[in-house]
Amino acid sequence: MRAVAYQSPQPISSDSALVDVDLPVPVATGQDLLVDVRAVSVNPVDTKIRKSVAPAEGEWKVLGWDAAGVVVATGPEVTAFKPGDAVYYAGAIHRPGTNAEYHLVDERIVGRKPKSLDFKAAAALPLTAITAWEMLFDRLDVAKPVPGAARAIVIIGGAGGVGSIAIQLARALTDLTVIATASRPETQAWVRELGAHHVIDHRSPIAPQVAELGLGAPSYVFSTTNTDDHMADSIDLLAPQGRFGLIDDPKELNALPLKRKSLSLHWELMFTRSLFETADMARQHELLTRVAELVDAGQIRTTLAEDYGTISADTLKRAHALIESGKAKGKIVLGGF
């Protein structure tokens, strides 16, 4: 089968950073589905792994943690899917990725593709939707009010892939006032389209801008990027006993300043459930099913922003380069080989 892979970490400008290869078609066992991959999207985790993780000597590492496609075979323990089912999912970080014609994935982290979306539009959603859902409802527990605080959430990096779906989920499923950060006219317009009540510029201090809105101190901050730059501001703006969540990888994280306000710290990695095969691993199947229902009901939309054409080393290198530039909004998708 055709795939895109690498054998050693390289800058994206290198000819060998990603290459077109031919690999054996994998075989479904256990609870695995074998999926004919119709579309993928690209996430910051793809670029992080490509730059830092080397496969075993002589092996190829296939990236990609978002896909939409059609089930072509199932392992003997599969109960929820059958060949012919259209699915979407975000895969597992410790297994080969989705940038291949065929891909194995555990059924417990797979959802049925939204009926109203084509494969590319569907492939934009899984990883970011799982990340945003788990942060909002499992980590920050936004259904549980913070005593005396404004029912508001600040989403730092609102125009990125995770921010773009987090805004929509917060609007569709909660009573929160959504304050999103974005710094350029096009990204500010994007987050407004997605439903942010207020937009502030993260190139300037965030806390004074939030205070000027006159809402009171927010209950929650969801930091999707550049936490190093915004953590002090986040602590300043949060209400006492508020909750701070992040998904990026700050160089340092000093939690001591959270103590005075009794702020809680929440870290989200959507791969945790699949990596450790947690007892609630199937929650990702359930939430992807719910997201598909919300899409088909018109309550949320795909975050597809850039279509880079077919899946190849060249097009994936373009996608990685855009993500590394820090100027991407929404999701970049590719479809077919």
Side-chain angles (χ1 to χ4, degrees):
M1 67 176 181
R2 289 170 290 182
V4 177
Y6 70 93
Q7 290 189 311
S8 63
Q10 301 283 337
I12 199 59
S13 57
S14 170
D15 289 343
S16 57
L18 295 169
V19 297
D20 296 303
V21 298
D22 189 67
L23 298 174
V25 176
V27 176
T29 60
Q31 288 186 269
D32 279 348
L33 311 175
L34 180 64
V35 177
D36 174 0
V37 175
R38 303 293 178 83
V40 301
S41 68
V42 184
N43 295 281
V45 65
D46 298 56
T47 69
K48 292 176 185 177
I49 298 294
R50 192 208 76 245
K51 290 186 289 186
S52 62
V53 178
E57 184 72 25
E59 297 293 319
W60 291 100
K61 187 163 185 64
V62 179
L63 300 171
W65 288 282
D66 263 330
V70 176
V71 177
V72 294
T74 63
E77 298 172 27
V78 168
T79 60
F81 298 94
K82 64 184 186 305
D85 286 342
V87 297
Y88 77 139
Y89 59 90
I93 200 166
H94 59 299
R95 303 186 66 179
T98 60
N99 294 336
E101 285 187 276
Y102 296 95
H103 182 250
L104 288 179
V105 62
D106 190 300
E107 67 168 341
R108 291 172 289 178
I109 58 173
V110 176
R112 282 184 168 76
K113 182 183 75 66
K115 295 181 176 66
S116 58
L117 298 183
D118 64 20
F119 287 102
K120 284 187 174 181
L125 289 171
L127 186 146
T128 53
I130 295 170
T131 300
W133 187 292
E134 291 185 346
M135 177 60 84
L136 291 173
F137 303 112
D138 296 340
R139 315 294 175 231
L140 294 176
D141 193 10
V142 298
K144 180 182 178 182
V146 174
R151 286 290 293 162
I153 185 169
V154 177
I155 300 175
I156 298 172
V162 173
S164 294
I165 193 67
I167 291 168
Q168 297 185 75
L169 290 174
R171 286 301 310 269
L173 300 175
T174 80
D175 62 350
L176 294 172
T177 296
V178 178
I179 306 162
T181 81
S183 62
R184 307 193 310 274
E186 62 270 27
T187 54
Q188 291 173 347
W190 172 261
V191 297
R192 287 192 180 95
E193 283 178 33
L194 295 174
H197 293 97
H198 304 281
V199 183
I200 60 177
D201 187 347
H202 49 236
R203 291 176 301 184
S204 300
I206 294 172
Q209 296 179 75
V210 172
E212 287 173 8
L213 297 175
L215 302 171
S219 299
Y220 319 100
V221 168
F222 182 175
S223 180
T224 72
T225 187
N226 294 322
T227 295
D228 297 277
D229 298 331
H230 303 301
M231 188 165 178
D233 243 357
S234 299
I235 293 168
D236 187 21
L237 69 87
L238 273 166
Q241 302 184 89
R243 301 175 202 138
F244 176 76
L246 71 156
I247 60 171
D248 63 327
D249 302 306
K251 293 175 184 175
E252 293 184 1
L253 186 70
N254 179 12
L256 190 59
L258 294 131
K259 181 178 180 180
R260 185 168 178 266
K261 286 186 174 180
S262 294
L263 303 176
S264 57
L265 177 66
H266 305 266
W267 222 314
E268 158 63 17
L269 178 67
M270 59 79 53
F271 295 119
T272 296
R273 282 174 161 141
S274 57
L275 183 60
F276 294 97
E277 295 197 18
T278 60
D280 63 350
M281 183 172 165
R283 279 272 292 152
Q284 293 192 345
H285 162 73
E286 295 164 5
L287 74 84
L288 286 174
T289 299
R290 181 70 177 120
V291 168
E293 292 170 353
L294 291 168
V295 171
D296 289 337
Q299 292 183 264
I300 63 176
R301 73 185 214 198
T302 181
T303 53
L304 188 163
E306 300 277 355
D307 183 342
Y308 273 21
T310 56
I311 303 166
S312 71
D314 285 344
T315 52
L316 280 166
K317 285 169 75 173
R318 283 182 56 218
H320 279 232
L322 179 58
I323 288 174
E324 289 179 8
S325 76
K327 295 181 179 179
K329 69 175 185 181
K331 293 298 294 293
I332 306 164
V333 302
L334 308 94
F337 277 82

